[in-house]
C-alpha cells in the first residue's frame, strides 16, 4: 500500500522555525544563495541550534510509538536541497524522527500544504504564512528572536491561543475596531448565547483534542489567553462548550499585557493575531503572529 498521512496530526515547519539559522539567513536574504549553500554545506556535520518551535515539535513527536505514528512533521522550506541535508542531519542529531521535506530554493513552498493536509504551518516568512491562512491552513509567523521554551514540563505539550481572529472569527474584533470597547461589550453581552464562528486555528484545536484522546505518556495542556474581560468572557466560554472542547486554562485579562502571564503558563508556543501582543510575549515564551482578521488587513509587517 502507498504511504499515507491519513489520521495523523500534520505539522509543516520551515527549517528556520525549527532550527536557529539566523546567521545563515543573513546570506539567504542578501540573495546570495550560492554563498548560503556553501556555508550550509561547510556546516553540514555541525548540528544547528534549536529554534523557536523546536520544543513544540519535539514534544508533539513524542506522541508517536513504534506501533503507531500519530504526528507527522514535514520540513517545508525555501532552502535549497543541498542545505536540506543539514536540516535532516540536525533533526537526526536531536533524535527527531523527521523523514519528509520539501525544499524549494527561494520559491514559496506553501502550495505543498494542500497535498500534505497540514493542520499547522510554522514559518518565519510573512508572505508564506498569509498564503497558507488564505488557503485555510492554520499558520503563524514565528519570531526567531523569541524566548525558547523551558524544561519544566517535559511530558506536557503546552499551547496558548488568543481568542478573537485566532480560535474564533474576527466578528467581535470588527465591532471593537468600529465602535470601541463599549460597543464591543454591548455586542458580546447581547450575543452571549450565540457561539462565535471558528477562526483559523479552530481546526488545530480540534486536532489537538483528538490527539489527546489516545493513550500516551505525553499530555496536552491548552490555554485561552485573551484581552477579553467580563462580561465578554461568557461568549468565549459558551463557544468552546458548543464545539465540545475544553481548554485547561482561560485567562481573561481585560486588556492587560499578556507577556508576564504567559511566562507563568510556560507554553511551548503562543499564537496571537496582534503584533503588539506577540512582541510583548516574545521575551518570555515562543511566539507566533497569526496574520488573520481585521487588524491584519493590509498589514504586511
Amino acid at each position: 500500500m502507498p504511504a499515507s498521512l491519513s489520521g495523523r496530526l500534520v505539522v509543516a515547519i520551515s527549517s528556520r522555525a525549527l532550527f536557529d539559522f539566523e546567521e545563515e539567513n543573513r546570506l539567504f536574504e542578501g540573495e546570495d544563495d550560492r554563498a548560503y549553500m556553501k556555508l550550509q554545506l561547510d556546516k553540514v556535520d555541525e548540528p544547528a541550534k534549536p529554534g523557536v518551535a523546536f520544543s513544540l515539535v519535539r514534544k508533539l513527536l513524542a506522541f508517536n510509538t513504534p506501533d503507531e505514528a500519530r504526528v507527522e512533521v514535514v520540513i517545508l522550506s525555501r532552502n535549497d536541497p543541498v542545505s536540506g541535508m543539514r536540516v535532516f542531519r540536525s533533526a537526526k542529531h536531536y533524535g527527531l524522527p523527521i523523514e519528509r521535506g520539501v525544499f524549494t530554493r527561494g520559491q514559496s513552498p506553501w502550495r505543498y500544504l494542500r497535498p500534505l493536509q497540514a493542520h499547522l504551518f510554522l514559518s518565519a516568512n510573512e508572505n508564506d504564512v498569509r498564503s497558507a491562512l488564505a488557503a485555510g491552513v492554520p499558520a503563524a509567523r514565528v519570531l526567531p528572536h523569541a524566548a525558547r521554551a523551558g524544561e519544566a514540563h517535559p511530558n506536557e505539550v503546552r499551547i496558548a491561543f488568543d481568542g478573537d481572529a485566532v480560535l474564533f472569527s474576527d466578528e467581535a474584533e470588527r465591532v471593537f475596531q468600529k465602535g470601541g470597547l463599549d460597543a464591543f461589550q454591548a455586542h458580546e453581552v447581547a450575543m452571549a448565547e450565540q457561539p462565535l464562528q471558528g477562526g483559523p486555528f479552530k481546526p488545530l484545536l480540534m486536532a489537538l483534542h483528538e490527539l489527546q484522546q489516545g493513550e500516551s505518556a505525553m499530555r496536552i495542556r491548552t490555554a485561552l489567553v485573551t484581552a477579553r474581560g467580563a462580561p465578554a468572557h461568557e461568549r468565549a466560554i459558551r463557544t468552546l462548550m458548543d464545539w465540545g472542547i475544553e481548554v485547561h486554562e482561560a485567562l481573561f485579562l481585560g486588556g492587560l499585557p499578556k507577556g508576564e502571564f504567559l511566562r507563568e503558563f510556560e507554553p511551548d508556543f503562543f499564537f496571537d493575531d496582534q503584533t503588539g501582543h506577540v512582541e510583548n510575549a516574545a521575551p518570555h515564551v515562543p511566539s507566533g503572529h497569526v496574520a488573520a482578521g481585521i487588524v491584519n488587513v493590509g498589514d504586511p509587517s
Side-chain angles (χ1 to χ4, degrees), residues 24 26-38:
E24 294 86 346
R26 283 190 283 273
L27 282 178
F28 188 81
E29 290 188 338
E31 298 184 356
D32 186 358
D33 69 337
R34 291 288 178 184
Y36 176 84
M37 290 167 62
K38 183 179 185 304

Side-chain angles (χ1 to χ4, degrees), residues 9-292:
L9 187 153
V10 179
V11 176
I13 186 168
S14 73
S15 55
R16 191 176 162 206
L18 183 58
F19 296 116
D20 184 349
F21 283 145
E22 293 315 291
E23 176 186 348
E24 294 86 346
N25 190 63
R26 283 190 283 273
L27 282 178
F28 188 81
E29 290 188 338
E31 298 184 356
D32 186 358
D33 69 337
R34 291 288 178 184
Y36 176 84
M37 290 167 62
K38 183 179 185 304
L39 179 59
Q40 290 285 37
L41 189 58
D42 289 344
K43 291 185 172 185
V44 70
D45 293 318
E46 178 184 324
K49 294 178 181 179
V52 69
F54 181 89
S55 177
L56 176 65
V57 165
R58 178 173 56 83
K59 288 184 177 182
L60 285 173
L61 285 170
F63 276 92
N64 294 337
T65 68
D67 298 324
E68 184 180 19
R70 303 177 61 204
V71 175
E72 181 77 19
V73 174
V74 181
I75 305 297
L76 200 60
S77 173
R78 287 175 175 252
N79 273 349
D80 62 279
V82 172
S83 302
M85 291 195 300
R86 188 180 181 208
V87 177
F88 277 123
R89 289 196 185 191
S90 296
K92 182 178 180 181
H93 170 80
Y94 292 107
L96 301 179
I98 299 174
E99 64 178 39
R100 293 182 170 90
V102 175
F103 301 93
T104 60
R105 194 172 179 178
Q107 296 297 305
S108 176
W110 72 267
R111 61 193 182 277
Y112 295 109
L113 293 166
R114 287 176 288 197
L116 287 171
Q117 297 183 308
H119 296 92
L120 176 64
F121 177 49
L122 295 175
S123 172
N125 186 285
E126 177 78 12
N127 291 330
D128 290 348
V129 165
R130 285 179 175 268
S131 295
L133 286 165
V137 179
R141 175 178 61 86
V142 303
L143 273 63
H145 64 273
R148 302 315 191 236
E151 301 290 337
H153 309 282
N155 298 315
E156 201 168 61
V157 181
R158 291 187 160 221
I159 304 179
F161 300 93
D162 180 34
D164 298 295
V166 178
L167 289 182
F168 313 133
S169 75
D170 69 342
E171 171 199 326
E173 181 64 32
R174 287 177 179 272
V175 174
F176 175 78
Q177 293 293 326
K178 183 177 181 179
L181 181 59
D182 289 343
F184 167 82
Q185 297 281 34
H187 178 267
E188 291 305 281
V189 169
M191 301 290 287
E193 296 189 10
Q194 178 67 41
L196 286 152
Q197 294 295 310
F201 272 66
K202 179 186 176 182
L204 176 61
L205 184 65
M206 301 292 284
L208 290 170
H209 178 75
E210 183 68 23
L211 181 64
Q212 184 67 96
Q213 303 313 303
E215 293 293 329
S216 176
M218 289 295 295
R219 307 301 297 167
I220 296 173
R221 189 169 186 86
T222 54
L224 170 65
V225 182
T226 172
R228 285 176 178 251
H233 71 294
E234 185 170 326
R235 192 179 188 197
I237 295 173
R238 288 184 177 275
T239 296
L240 293 171
M241 291 171 62
D242 181 73
W243 294 352
I245 295 291
E246 296 179 357
V247 294
H248 299 88
E249 301 190 23
L251 283 65
F252 298 102
L253 299 180
L256 290 174
K258 298 181 180 181
E260 293 187 355
F261 291 92
L262 287 160
R263 181 191 65 203
E264 300 305 316
F265 178 66
E266 300 180 291
D268 294 290
F269 217 86
F270 167 59
F271 299 100
D272 200 295
D273 70 302
Q274 299 199 29
T275 53
H277 292 318
V278 177
E279 291 289 354
N280 181 259
H284 306 285
V285 299
S287 305
H289 176 231
V290 180

